[in-house]
Amino acid sequence: HKSEKSRKNRLLNHITKSIGSKFNAVDVIQFGSSANGFGMKNGDFDICLIIPDANQRQLIKKMKNILRSQGMEDVHAILNAKVPILKFKDPRSGLKVDLSINNSLANYNTKLLNAYSNLSELIRNYVICIKYWALHRNISEPRNGTFSSYAWTLLALNHLIEEKVIPNLQDTENKTLVEIDGAEFDVSFDEPKDFKISEDVTISSLVSGFFMKYATWDWKNKVVSIRNGGSVQRDEKSWMDEEPSALDLLNLEKIDSKLGPHHLAVEDPFEHDHDLSSVLSVIGELSVRNEIIRAAKMFGENKNWAEICETVMPERFQDMEPEDLFHDLRSKSTKDVENLKSK
């Protein structure tokens, strides 16, 4: 919605002036779903500061104190991540922010996904349907041991690429190599200008096909890989589905134990040694599997979309409205608001 875009722009300007200028950032960039065309209402706002030769962890700690002094809420740093992240909520806009420094590869991922979103409005709506379902079924939060919104986007696109609904944009001879933190990455992809989706393709067929595909996906032997046009065999990447399994740990009542690596393997399109399933917990993995099967079964029973996306723990969404100038009018009737205006 335009109002949310406006709130994000205002917050981006604030971060640029109050944080970026203080730490000599050469650029402040928004990335992720708010910039790749697959954003949803009240989605997290991803911001990256480009600061040459920065000590990321040290600066994140300093920024944490500044943001707290500005009245930001729920400010906490995740310093043990590969790219340290500062998470906070701006009470004025209601936006939840993930702030990082020199997260350059994420910017290339954003550009790739944006190219896919530009292929067709139908493709955008389909991916948002999958993300909406995952959000409301509470399986779209890495902190809780489930897939990230980004991982669900890749799974959704992977289905379309494997079914030849859309082209594999990374299948190109126009190579672009970049060096990030001493490592080289192939960030090549095409942006076709004349692509038209088949007229017999519908959102319902894509969404139901998505659930049927992953309800029967061979997780034991396959790695989801959009850059490879659908999948890669596990032995090609040496990403074996290692023990213990989630079900074994659940049966042993060891739900807090660490899973073996690469259980529901999803390869990052540019960082090929990064498996997005590494965040899964025992309960998280089983929830993802069960929810996909549940949705596939409900499609087969002709259940409607509202039933399939019935919200798990609806209280999660209670704090999403911003504390703006009109916050105290939200519960009033139109007549009451008109009376206030006349006074």
Side-chain angles (χ1 to χ4, degrees), residues 131-151:
K131 291 178 60 176
Y132 178 90
W133 162 80
L135 174 67
H136 282 267
R137 296 306 297 170
N138 200 22
I139 51 171
S140 185
E141 181 48 75
R143 284 178 293 181
N144 296 334
T146 59
F147 276 137
S148 64
S149 171
Y150 174 53

Side-chain angles (χ1 to χ4, degrees), residues 8-19 28 45:
K8 287 183 175 179
N9 287 335
R10 288 197 298 270
L11 181 55
L12 186 68
N13 289 335
H14 171 72
I15 295 298
T16 300
K17 293 176 181 177
S18 67
I19 303 292
V28 181
F45 189 25

Side-chain angles (χ1 to χ4, degrees), residues 219-220 234 238-246 248-249 258-264 285:
W219 293 106
K220 192 72 178 175
R234 282 183 177 272
S238 298
W239 281 13
M240 307 318 293
D241 186 8
E242 297 184 18
E243 302 294 342
S245 71
D248 288 340
L249 290 171
K258 186 174 178 59
L259 285 167
H262 310 307
H263 276 216
L264 308 183
E285 178 187 328

Side-chain angles (χ1 to χ4, degrees), residues 170-184:
Q170 289 180 270
D171 184 15
T172 176
E173 296 179 357
N174 301 316
K175 295 299 179 183
T176 302
L177 303 177
V178 297
E179 185 174 316
I180 300 173
D181 297 331
E184 188 175 74

Side-chain angles (χ1 to χ4, degrees), residues 117-178:
S117 75
N118 287 335
L119 289 175
S120 164
E121 183 180 2
L122 188 148
I123 300 304
R124 286 195 297 275
N125 290 336
Y126 152 74
V127 173
I128 289 171
C129 279
I130 300 303
K131 291 178 60 176
Y132 178 90
W133 162 80
L135 174 67
H136 282 267
R137 296 306 297 170
N138 200 22
I139 51 171
S140 185
E141 181 48 75
R143 284 178 293 181
N144 296 334
T146 59
F147 276 137
S148 64
S149 171
Y150 174 53
W152 285 113
T153 300
L154 294 183
L155 285 163
L157 291 174
N158 187 77
H159 169 56
L160 303 189
I161 295 169
E162 190 169 66
E163 296 301 318
K164 311 298 183 185
V165 176
I166 60 174
N168 177 5
L169 299 187
Q170 289 180 270
D171 184 15
T172 176
E173 296 179 357
N174 301 316
K175 295 299 179 183
T176 302
L177 303 177
V178 297

Side-chain angles (χ1 to χ4, degrees), residues 25-40:
V26 298
D27 203 357
V28 181
I29 304 168
Q30 62 173 312
F31 66 97
S33 60
S34 63
N36 66 24
F38 297 124
M40 295 195 301

Side-chain angles (χ1 to χ4, degrees), residues 46-175:
D46 297 301
I47 299 176
C48 175
L49 280 72
I50 306 300
I51 305 174
D53 303 318
N55 183 319
Q56 294 174 319
R57 288 173 175 77
Q58 188 179 78
L59 290 188
I60 287 288
K61 290 178 182 178
K62 292 180 179 179
M63 292 175 186
K64 179 174 69 173
N65 295 329
I66 293 173
L67 290 169
R68 280 178 174 166
S69 71
Q70 293 177 354
M72 299 298 179
E73 299 175 348
D74 303 327
V75 184
H76 63 280
I78 303 176
L79 299 176
N80 59 351
K82 185 172 183 180
V83 177
I85 298 172
L86 184 58
K87 303 179 81 71
F88 63 92
K89 178 183 176 182
D90 174 27
R92 290 162 289 277
S93 64
L95 294 169
K96 293 181 179 179
V97 181
D98 285 358
L99 186 149
S100 57
I101 299 171
N102 297 340
N103 194 3
S104 302
L105 200 57
N107 292 322
Y108 288 105
N109 285 332
T110 298
K111 292 176 181 178
L112 172 65
L113 296 191
N114 186 242
Y116 276 114
S117 75
N118 287 335
L119 289 175
S120 164
E121 183 180 2
L122 188 148
I123 300 304
R124 286 195 297 275
N125 290 336
Y126 152 74
V127 173
I128 289 171
C129 279
I130 300 303
K131 291 178 60 176
Y132 178 90
W133 162 80
L135 174 67
H136 282 267
R137 296 306 297 170
N138 200 22
I139 51 171
S140 185
E141 181 48 75
R143 284 178 293 181
N144 296 334
T146 59
F147 276 137
S148 64
S149 171
Y150 174 53
W152 285 113
T153 300
L154 294 183
L155 285 163
L157 291 174
N158 187 77
H159 169 56
L160 303 189
I161 295 169
E162 190 169 66
E163 296 301 318
K164 311 298 183 185
V165 176
I166 60 174
N168 177 5
L169 299 187
Q170 289 180 270
D171 184 15
T172 176
E173 296 179 357
N174 301 316
K175 295 299 179 183

